[in-house]
Amino acid sequence: MDVPTGAVPKGAAPARAAPAGVALTKAEQARALLAQGLARHNAGDLAAAEALYRRALRLSPGDPNALNLLGVAARQRGDLAEAVRLTGEALQTRPDSPVFLAAHGGALAEAGQAERAVPVLRRAVALRPADALSQRNLGQALLVLGDAASAVSPLRTAASLMPEPENHLALAYGLREAGDAAGAAAAARAALAGAPDAVAAQARFLLAALGTEAAPDRAPASYVRELFDRYAPRFDAHLQGTLNYRTPEALAAALRAAGIAAEGAATVLDLGCGTGLSGAALRPFAARLEGLDLSPGMLREAARAGHYDALHEADLLGFLPAHPGAFTIVAAVDVLNYLGDLTTAFRGMATALQPGGVAAFSLEVGEEAPYALGEGMRFRHHPTQALALLASAGFQLLLREDTVLRQEKGRDVAGLILVARR
Ligand SMILES: C[S@@+](CC[C@H](N)C(=O)[O-])C[C@H]1O[C@@H](n2cnc3c(N)ncnc32)[C@H](O)[C@@H]1O
């Protein structure tokens, strides 16, 4: 948690009653409220903390510490626009405060504004080089901008200042992006020591992508969630602009070509709906359109896009078997490449579909059977094996289209779009 305890002014000790007959000034009362708020904040009670910060702000309008702490709380609640606004206001009051620079830079980075975050975080680490979190945030923002060479140094500093599994893992990702596979593997191994399960699973997944461990049967849910939470604010622009992503439209065209009428009568489930690009393409088929995703950040964007009648934060492997016969179309656009073994997903789709219902999805294809973990840390499936699994889950193939799904590092990503009837 990025609670900048240092932001609270000195003297803001837990509120004490004033000695009898001594009235506290408004500024003193505000400081006391901030201290109480921070105690609630550190105890995890965000709502109570925010209420106390707001009371402090009413007593001391424009108080930069109150604004900053409200911004930090907004960020933790997932209201990134508000976090950027509030931490930015605090920073305007004290442009050289390393605490406010760190909070504002962190909020900008999380809101997908890496270009604006980098100079702010650079100033934060110049003023407070021992702030491991700002060093890590700077490294990760540089990675988002594709500047892996510059990202490695702050990521390395973060890992040496605070040698925790999360920081070793962040360094491992950075080194991998920078092309230092051996360094990345060493950092991933360091991340394994004493790591919580989610971090250890990610470190092992990275080692598998580096070819030093066998590929697991899926990408860890925590990896997918963190990746897409970070990616969410810039996903649409990046995919549609830079990566020339057209799979949602191609999948909708494949459904029509397979004889599925886009007449708005189906009950459709969009697995791994992301920000809703696939929802926009599926909407014409649907009387009711539901989306599900592992990433709360992506789901927030999907809610804003407004295509869905319902959204679920869930893992598709758990959701599908729990909703027998609930849908007439189940779609997965650019999603099943986060799973290696497709057996459970195909069986789940069959369960969640009514008899005669239709599954439509894309896969990245590769030569290795049954699947392999590719460079981009996504799985590629062997078409013959995938088709055999689909048949054994009870599906009859309606349409197969071999296609280019998008670009990656300037190269075409080869894929398949399959439409099959239960
Ligand atoms: C590349 S995006 C595609 C989003 C959307 N379908 C589109 O076409 O724009 C992949 C999405 O699948 C989600 N995802 C991956 N594995 C998942 C799983 N096991 N359960 C639910 N969502 C998953 C990710 O969180 C991410 O939002």
Side-chain angles (χ1 to χ4, degrees), residues 6-7 64-65 68 87-104 119-129 131 134:
N65 285 302
N68 188 59
T87 55
E89 264 187 58
L91 185 60
Q92 265 178 8
T93 320
R94 285 205 215 132
D96 289 325
S97 156
V99 169
F100 297 163
L101 284 163
H104 189 50
V120 176
L121 289 166
R122 279 201 202 284
R123 276 171 60 210
V125 302
L127 289 167
R128 223 171 40 158
D131 176 8
S134 289

Side-chain angles (χ1 to χ4, degrees), residues 218-219 221 224-225 228-229 231 235-236 239 245 247-248 270-279 292-295 298-299 308 314-317 332-339 378 406:
R218 61 168 295 171
V224 171
R225 197 177 295 116
F228 284 100
D229 274 355
Y231 202 3
F235 181 84
D236 291 9
L239 253 84
Y245 177 62
T247 313
D270 184 10
L271 298 171
C273 62
T275 57
L277 295 177
S278 42
L292 83 81
D293 206 284
L294 270 170
S295 152
M298 295 296 261
L299 287 167
Y308 297 93
D315 192 316
L316 69 92
L317 293 181
V333 188
D334 205 26
V335 174
L336 298 184
N337 34 19
Y338 294 92
L339 298 174
R378 293 185 309 273
R406 79 181 109 73

Side-chain angles (χ1 to χ4, degrees), residues 159-177:
S160 64
L161 283 169
M162 206 183 275
E164 288 177 358
E166 289 80 358
N167 289 343
H168 287 304
L169 184 63
L171 174 61
Y173 284 128
L175 287 166
R176 176 178 173 276
E177 286 293 311

Side-chain angles (χ1 to χ4, degrees), residues 323-344:
H323 293 79
F327 301 97
T328 49
I329 297 179
V330 171
V333 188
D334 205 26
V335 174
L336 298 184
N337 34 19
Y338 294 92
L339 298 174
D341 184 355
L342 295 173
T343 314
T344 315

Side-chain angles (χ1 to χ4, degrees), residues 89-304:
E89 264 187 58
L91 185 60
Q92 265 178 8
T93 320
R94 285 205 215 132
D96 289 325
S97 156
V99 169
F100 297 163
L101 284 163
H104 189 50
L108 285 167
E110 201 165 327
Q113 300 183 37
E115 289 87 351
R116 288 179 64 201
V118 164
V120 176
L121 289 166
R122 279 201 202 284
R123 276 171 60 210
V125 302
L127 289 167
R128 223 171 40 158
D131 176 8
L133 187 59
S134 289
Q135 295 277 8
R136 189 172 104 191
N137 282 340
L138 173 60
Q140 289 180 324
L142 286 163
L143 275 186
V144 166
L145 295 183
D147 188 357
S150 308
V152 167
S153 165
L155 291 172
R156 206 186 286 289
T157 306
S160 64
L161 283 169
M162 206 183 275
E164 288 177 358
E166 289 80 358
N167 289 343
H168 287 304
L169 184 63
L171 174 61
Y173 284 128
L175 287 166
R176 176 178 173 276
E177 286 293 311
D180 178 357
R189 275 190 216 98
L192 280 172
D197 286 353
V199 176
Q202 287 196 46
R204 272 194 288 275
F205 187 57
L206 183 53
L207 286 167
L210 291 164
T212 65
E213 282 202 12
D217 60 5
R218 61 168 295 171
S222 65
Y223 164 77
V224 171
R225 197 177 295 116
E226 282 172 30
L227 174 73
F228 284 100
D229 274 355
R230 247 199 309 274
Y231 202 3
R234 52 194 291 280
F235 181 84
D236 291 9
H238 189 226
L239 253 84
Q240 292 181 307
T242 320
L243 304 186
N244 198 21
Y245 177 62
R246 299 285 174 266
T247 313
E249 294 80 8
L251 186 122
L255 274 169
R256 281 191 288 268
I260 314 300
E263 60 190 13
T267 310
V268 181
L269 175 62
D270 184 10
L271 298 171
C273 62
T275 57
L277 295 177
S278 42
L282 292 165
R283 188 71 246 190
F285 296 86
R288 180 173 174 79
L289 176 61
E290 298 190 22
L292 83 81
D293 206 284
L294 270 170
S295 152
M298 295 296 261
L299 287 167
R300 270 196 294 276
E301 300 294 325
R304 262 198 281 274

Side-chain angles (χ1 to χ4, degrees), residues 7-16 24-38 52-53 55-57 59-60 63 65-66 69 94:
V8 176
K10 286 207 171 69
R16 260 174 267 136
L24 288 176
T25 65
K26 280 190 174 177
E28 285 167 342
Q29 288 176 53
R31 273 210 299 274
L33 286 167
L34 283 185
Q36 288 172 26
L38 193 58
L52 287 157
Y53 298 153
R55 280 176 59 197
L57 201 56
L59 281 171
S60 174
D63 182 309
N65 285 302
L69 287 165
R94 285 205 215 132

